[in-house]
């Protein structure tokens, strides 16, 4: 039996089990998976504390105020900010698991916003049971179509998806600006760049009275559950193999091109769903700067959660708290740009930790291999 036949047979056996790759328990891998993201956050906070101290601020006071504001006094707003971060984080995680670097979640988010807004403005008299499902589908379709171009370029022409998906972000933002300042501008908006307010039937319902927590939270939980289940299906297993080694997947007969397209479309659809939930659940109208960079922050969220669906929800709450505490930071005289700086430092630490952990695992495997050869 040739190597290709043996590899294909092995993968077929694992596919039929629908249980994903079974790997022996490794305490070092588990420790790295837990310690690495926690260390990244702590190092990020430590560096930020040094910068605050250098600028004459009391770092402990600033961090205490942020924590009190985001997670004690105003936790509902933290959850509101966490909803789009969770959905966009899940979106980019789908692509990252296949080693597809979808940096275009921001553009796909805006595509979902535009699609949902078009329906809300075009059919203001439809009842909620019609317009809400239609907007859900439109938002997902908009995000998926926006992801289709980099998917095609990557699948058939091997164009770097980082560049193509990133460039489309700017196109989507400018397209939204065109509609806001042009055909969709509200004539009763006192020259503000906003559209007309959506009808009540075109708004996602509030699920916690007295807060702004909307139905998007349920959508995020459903998407996380579905993606967790997806990892236990045959297609999820194929994506896992592709993420481990693309050449191995090709050699084993997995349809790599088709899976790249589907993974990108699914990733874009979830990002579009995030845009739909934000514009219908919070804003209630399309306005300039509706996203403070959710699609970019989602990259940090996904990596910090190590692409785990449930961890993404928790990390999204952490970063939601940072975004929600922006007003508090301004009140105590700290620039709101501190959040962006902290996010960048954490991302740098996460990537450094990921690189270091891979190096440690490689050196350990190499040492074990040498020891095995020595015994032989």
């Amino acid at each position: 039996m040739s190597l290709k036949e043996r590899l294909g047979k092995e993968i077929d056996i694992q596919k039929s089990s629908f249980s994903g790759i079974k790997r022996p328990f490794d305490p070092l891998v588990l420790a790295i998976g837990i310690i690495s993201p926690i260390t990244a956050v702590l190092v990020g906070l430590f560096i930020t504390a040094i910068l605050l101290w250098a600028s004459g601020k009391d770092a402990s006071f600033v961090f205490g105020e942020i924590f009190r504001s985001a997670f004690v006094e105003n936790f509902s707003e933290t959850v509101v900010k966490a909803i789009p971060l969770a959905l966009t984080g899940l979106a980019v995680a789908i692509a990252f698991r296949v080693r597809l670097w979808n940096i275009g979640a921001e553009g796909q988010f805006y595509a979902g916003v535009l699609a949902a807004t078009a329906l809300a403005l075009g059919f203001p008299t439809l009842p909620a049971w019609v317009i809400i499902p239609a907007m859900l589908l439109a938002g997902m379709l908009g995000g998926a179509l926006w992801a289709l171009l980099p998917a095609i370029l990557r699948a058939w022409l091997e164009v770097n998806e980082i560049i193509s998906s990133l460039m489309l972000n700017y196109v989507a933002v400018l397209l939204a600006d065109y509609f806001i300042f042009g055909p969709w501008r509200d004539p009763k908006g006192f020259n503000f760049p906003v559209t007309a307010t959506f009808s009540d039937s075109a708004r996602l319902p509030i699920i916690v009275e007295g807060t702004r927590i909307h139905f998007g939270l349920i959508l995020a939980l459903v998407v996380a559950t579905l993606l967790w289940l997806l990892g236990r299906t045959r297609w999820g297993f194929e994506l896992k193999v592709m993420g481990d080694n693309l050449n191995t997947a090709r050699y084993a007969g997995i349809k790599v091109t088709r899976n790249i397209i589907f993974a990108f479309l699914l990733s874009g659809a979830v990002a579009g769903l995030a845009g739909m939930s934000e514009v219908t659940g919070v804003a209630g109208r399309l306005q300039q700067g509706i996203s403070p960079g959710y699609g970019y922050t989602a990259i940090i969220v996904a990596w910090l959660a190590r692409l785990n669906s449930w961890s993404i929800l928790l990390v999204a709450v952490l970063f939601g708290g940072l975004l929600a505490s922006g007003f508090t930071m301004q009140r105590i005289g700290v620039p709101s740009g501190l959040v962006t700086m902290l996010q960048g430092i954490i991302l740098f630490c996460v990537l450094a930790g990921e690189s270091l952990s891979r190096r440690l695992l490689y050196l350990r495997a190499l040492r074990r291999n040498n020891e095995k050869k020595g015994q032989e």
Side-chain angles (χ1 to χ4, degrees), residues 143-153 261 264-265:
L145 290 178
W146 205 258
L148 183 60
L149 180 58
I152 291 175
L153 293 175
I261 296 290
F264 247 113
L265 290 179

Side-chain angles (χ1 to χ4, degrees), residues 12 27 33 40 62 70 80 115 137 152 172 178 219 257 270-271 274 295 297 315 365 369:
D12 283 340
V62 172
V80 171
L137 293 176
I152 291 175
Y178 164 74
L219 295 177
T257 301
V270 176
T297 307
V315 177
N369 189 48

Side-chain angles (χ1 to χ4, degrees), residues 4-20 234 237-238 241 252-254:
K4 180 177 180 179
E5 290 171 339
R6 278 187 292 165
L7 184 58
K9 185 177 180 180
E10 175 65 23
I11 289 181
D12 283 340
I13 292 172
Q14 295 199 40
K15 281 178 180 176
S16 63
S17 69
F18 282 73
S19 57
R234 181 170 184 156
F237 173 75
E238 291 185 359
V241 173
I254 293 176

Side-chain angles (χ1 to χ4, degrees), residues 266-288:
L266 183 58
S267 178
V270 176
L273 181 63
M276 177 271 170
S277 73
E278 184 68 9
V279 74
T280 61
V282 178
R285 58 168 55 175
L286 177 56
Q287 58 193 25
Q288 198 174 25

Side-chain angles (χ1 to χ4, degrees), residues 289-300:
I290 191 171
S291 167
Y294 289 129
Y296 299 112
T297 307
I299 298 170
I300 310 173

Side-chain angles (χ1 to χ4, degrees), residues 70-86:
F71 300 106
V72 178
E73 295 180 348
N74 210 16
F75 185 68
S76 65
E77 282 303 302
T78 294
V79 175
V80 171
K81 295 292 184 184
I83 291 171
L85 286 176

Side-chain angles (χ1 to χ4, degrees), residues 33-55:
I34 297 174
I35 294 174
S36 179
I38 295 175
T39 304
V41 173
L42 294 178
V43 172
L45 291 175
F46 178 71
I47 295 174
T48 306
I50 293 176
L51 295 175
L52 285 172
W53 173 77
S55 61

Side-chain angles (χ1 to χ4, degrees), residues 58 63 75 146-147 149 184 203 228 232 247 261 278 320 325 331 338 360:
D58 184 345
F63 289 148
F75 185 68
W146 205 258
L149 180 58
W184 288 354
R203 299 291 302 274
W228 178 75
R232 282 146 180 78
N247 291 328
I261 296 290
E278 184 68 9
S325 63
R331 179 172 56 81
L338 175 73
L360 287 174

